[in-house]
Every structure is written in C-alpha cells, then in structure tokens.
Amino acid sequence: MAAPAKTLIDFFQQPAPKRLKRASSPPLSPFSSLKDDGAAASSKSTVSISPEQKRRMEYNKSLALSKRNLKLCSDKLSKAVATGVGYVNLEELLVEETWSEVLSGELQKPYARKLCEFVEAEICHGSTPIYPPQHLIFNALNTTPFNSVKAVIIGQDPYHGPGQAMGLSFSVPEGIKVPSSLQNIYKELQKDMGCTIPSNGNLEKWAIQGVLLLNAVLTVRQHQANSHAKKGWEQFTDAIIGAISQKRSGVVFLLWGNYAQAKSRLIDESKHYILKSSHPSGLSANRGFFGCRFNAFFQYVDVIFAKEALFSDKPALGEIGSISNRLAVVVLQGQDVPMLCNLDS
C-alpha cells in the first residue's frame, strides 16, 4: 500500500534526532529563535492562503497597476495642458509596458503616423469634442496587460454622448445611464448565470481581471458614430487582435454582431475559443443574443473543465456559431477567476 503523501507541514515537523554525545558548540544568537519563529509564521501564512485570498491579492495587484497607468496618462495630459500644448502624442499614452513591447514600432508605421496626425488635428483644431478624453484613449490596453488577457470583447467605436466613453468597449462611468446594449448583456448574464444586475455600467472590474474591452476604433466625434472609422484605428486594433492570436493561447473571443465576427479571420481557432452571437443592442438582441445557450455542451463543461477537449473535440456551433456568454464564464472560472458577476462588490 502506498505511503500517504506528505504535506508541506510534514517537512517542518521532522522526528527528534537521536541523542548524541555532548559537544561544545558556539552560543546561539539571541535572534535565532526570532528567525525560526518568523520562518514558521511565514510557512503557516503561505499554507493558509485560500484560493479566494489569492484571487483577491491578484486583483488588488492588477488594480494598483491600472491606477498607476491611469495616473501616468493623466499627468502627461495635465502637463501638456499646463504648457499650452493641450495634446499628448498617442504613443506616449500607451504606458502599459507589456503592450508597448508587443506593439513595438506599430505606431511608427506610415498608417499610424497619419492616424496620429488626424487625431491631433481633431482634438486641437476641430470644432467638435472628441471622445474619450485623451488620457483614456488606450484605457483598454493600459488596464488589461497583454499577459493578463483571458477574454476579448470587441466593440465598434466609443459611445459618442457626453461623459459616456471611457476607453473600454460597452462600458460607461458610474453615474452615466447604462446603455441598452450593456443592459441586455446584464440581462443575459442574469438569466444564464444568475448574476445580479449591477447598479452602474462601469466594467473596469472585468478589465482588471483580464477581459480586454477593445473597440475597433478608439476615438469618435461627439454625436457622430463612426466618424473616426477608416482613419487607421482598425489596422491598429487588428494588430492587437493578431498579436493575441499569435503569441497567446486559450483566450476567449466574444464576437457579437457581424462587425465583430468579421475579426475572426485574425484569430487562430486551433489555439483560442471564438464565441459568436448577434449584437446585444436593442435592435438585434432578440435575434440571437438573448437565450444563446448550448445546453448539452454546458452540462459537459460544468462537470469537467476540459483542459484539452475544448481544443481537440469542439462541438459544432450551429449555423451562425451561436454560443452563450456562459462558456466564457466557465472557462475563466477554470482559472479561479469569477469574471463577469458581482460588479457592485
């Protein structure tokens, strides 16, 4: 019969050694017992950390990084305003080191230089406000580091009403009315997962936990949807999606609506999960977003988090490839991160 496996504690509780002849030895340091007590306390604290405590520690670490990046961008903009410039070069606003490395040289390409010139002209010389505020243009990247990305939700362009855009797709700051698309996302999560509908539309907690909330176009004129489309942003954000596809694995891409689903051409389906449904907007949510479940597969995933089968034995997704938000939640919970519920907690 195999001997029972030893725990970490067992290694610190060795049997007393046999008695040996008395021999002279140097006096013990008065601090040795303190060191031993400290080591014991350290080992106990390490052993006693629960998964929830570990998750909370990781969340707080990511939150601190996000706040640090936001402050860097805010300080850059404040300095530019104070000196009378009023504009910060786009490249200076991408302060998250992991993305700066992955996208090294992208903003130096000819298309990106034209894009930067266009955005600068719009902000400095245009008669219409541009959203989001400059320090939030790269908020999605600065909040969700490249090596932390677990899921990607692709939007089209920022909300174009005053105070709405915050650089995260589908998200609005606290105190701003929750848009219909986000209301429908909340409703589906409540129906499918039992999530409580939050009191606000701020999705920063998703972003901090690894959900990249990426719009294909990162700026817009006030009250003019798609006004900054086809100016270069699409090529830049395609490079972001391509980098995730090439250099990461096991990322969940949620593609809602035809515009987002067109991005599937950039994603290696042998390495990643691609989940499709209609867009959650009020115009299309009833045409496939609501109730887009896949019950048999969920029963399988709920019982067994299939580490390999999700790649090697994918079920057919149906005519339009519809599959529920729930799969993304289950996959991410397999990484000990309850991603999409409890925004108010």
Side-chain angles (χ1 to χ4, degrees):
M1 182 176 179
K6 287 188 177 183
T7 66
L8 185 60
I9 294 297
D10 294 330
F11 288 99
F12 289 92
Q13 296 178 339
Q14 298 293 344
K18 294 181 180 180
R19 296 183 63 182
L20 301 174
K21 289 183 179 181
R22 190 172 183 177
S24 61
S25 59
L28 293 174
S29 165
F31 299 104
S32 60
S33 61
L34 295 177
K35 289 169 65 178
D36 292 342
D37 290 345
S42 176
S43 65
K44 288 180 181 179
S45 64
T46 301
V47 171
S48 63
I49 293 178
S50 68
E52 173 58 25
Q53 289 173 319
K54 182 179 179 182
R55 186 191 72 81
R56 180 57 60 180
M57 290 169 62
E58 289 297 323
Y59 177 84
N60 289 337
K61 181 179 177 181
S62 298
L63 176 61
L65 177 62
S66 172
K67 288 183 175 180
R68 171 256 190 189
N69 288 343
L70 179 60
K71 186 177 186 305
L72 285 175
C73 291
S74 298
D75 289 348
K76 287 175 183 286
L77 181 58
S78 297
K79 184 177 179 180
V81 171
T83 56
V85 177
Y87 177 78
V88 181
N89 292 328
L90 287 180
E91 192 170 15
E92 295 181 37
L93 294 173
L94 183 56
V95 298
E96 170 49 44
E97 290 90 346
T98 58
W99 282 111
S100 295
E101 181 179 351
V102 168
L103 298 172
S104 177
E106 191 68 30
L107 287 171
Q108 297 298 322
K109 293 180 178 179
Y111 86 87
R113 289 185 178 279
K114 291 182 180 179
L115 169 64
C116 293
E117 292 171 0
F118 168 77
V119 173
E120 179 179 3
E122 287 282 281
I123 292 174
C124 296
H125 308 298
S127 59
T128 304
I130 303 302
Y131 301 135
Q134 286 183 62
H135 66 289
L136 296 177
I137 289 175
F138 292 126
N139 197 23
L141 303 179
N142 290 334
T143 304
T144 311
F146 175 76
N147 52 12
S148 299
V149 175
K150 298 178 176 69
V152 181
I153 300 179
I154 299 175
Q156 192 160 348
D157 67 340
Y159 294 122
H160 50 78
Q164 287 185 306
M166 56 183 296
L168 304 175
S169 63
F170 295 98
S171 180
V172 293
E174 294 182 28
I176 299 296
K177 181 181 178 181
V178 179
S180 61
S181 293
L182 185 52
Q183 289 180 21
N184 291 334
I185 293 170
Y186 285 165
K187 289 176 183 178
E188 178 64 12
L189 282 169
Q190 182 186 49
K191 185 175 181 180
D192 199 15
M193 297 295 298
C195 298
T196 300
I197 293 181
S199 59
N200 64 82
N202 190 337
L203 303 181
E204 278 184 327
K205 285 188 176 182
W206 291 10
I208 290 167
Q209 293 180 91
V211 180
L212 180 62
L213 299 168
L214 181 68
N215 281 316
V217 175
L218 300 187
T219 54
V220 70
R221 292 181 195 140
Q222 178 179 283
H223 299 317
Q224 298 180 42
N226 297 316
S227 52
H228 284 190
K230 299 181 180 179
K231 301 296 182 181
W233 279 128
E234 293 90 343
Q235 187 171 343
F236 178 74
T237 53
D238 281 358
I240 293 171
I241 297 169
I244 296 171
S245 177
Q246 294 169 20
K247 299 180 181 182
R248 296 289 311 279
S249 63
V251 174
V252 179
F253 289 84
L254 289 90
L255 308 182
W256 296 332
N258 293 332
Y259 185 89
Q261 287 171 27
K263 302 296 182 181
S264 62
R265 61 184 169 79
L266 304 169
I267 305 165
D268 186 345
E269 295 189 51
S270 69
K271 296 169 56 182
H272 302 281
Y273 310 90
I274 298 180
L275 313 181
K276 300 178 181 180
S277 79
S278 63
H279 196 275
S281 72
L283 297 175
S284 59
N286 287 310
R287 297 201 294 266
F289 183 79
F290 287 140
C292 54
R293 293 177 175 81
F294 206 73
N295 293 325
F297 189 41
F298 289 147
Q299 292 171 8
Y300 171 67
V301 175
D302 282 344
V303 176
I304 303 172
F305 176 60
K307 297 179 180 177
E308 299 297 335
L310 288 175
F311 296 99
S312 60
D313 189 25
K314 289 185 180 179
L317 296 182
E319 292 182 2
I320 61 170
S322 296
I323 196 163
S324 170
N325 304 319
R326 184 178 177 191
L327 178 57
V329 179
V330 172
V331 168
L332 293 165
Q333 283 179 331
Q335 303 175 38
D336 297 323
V337 184
M339 302 299 299
L340 304 182
C341 296
N342 305 320
L343 286 177
D344 287 329
S345 62

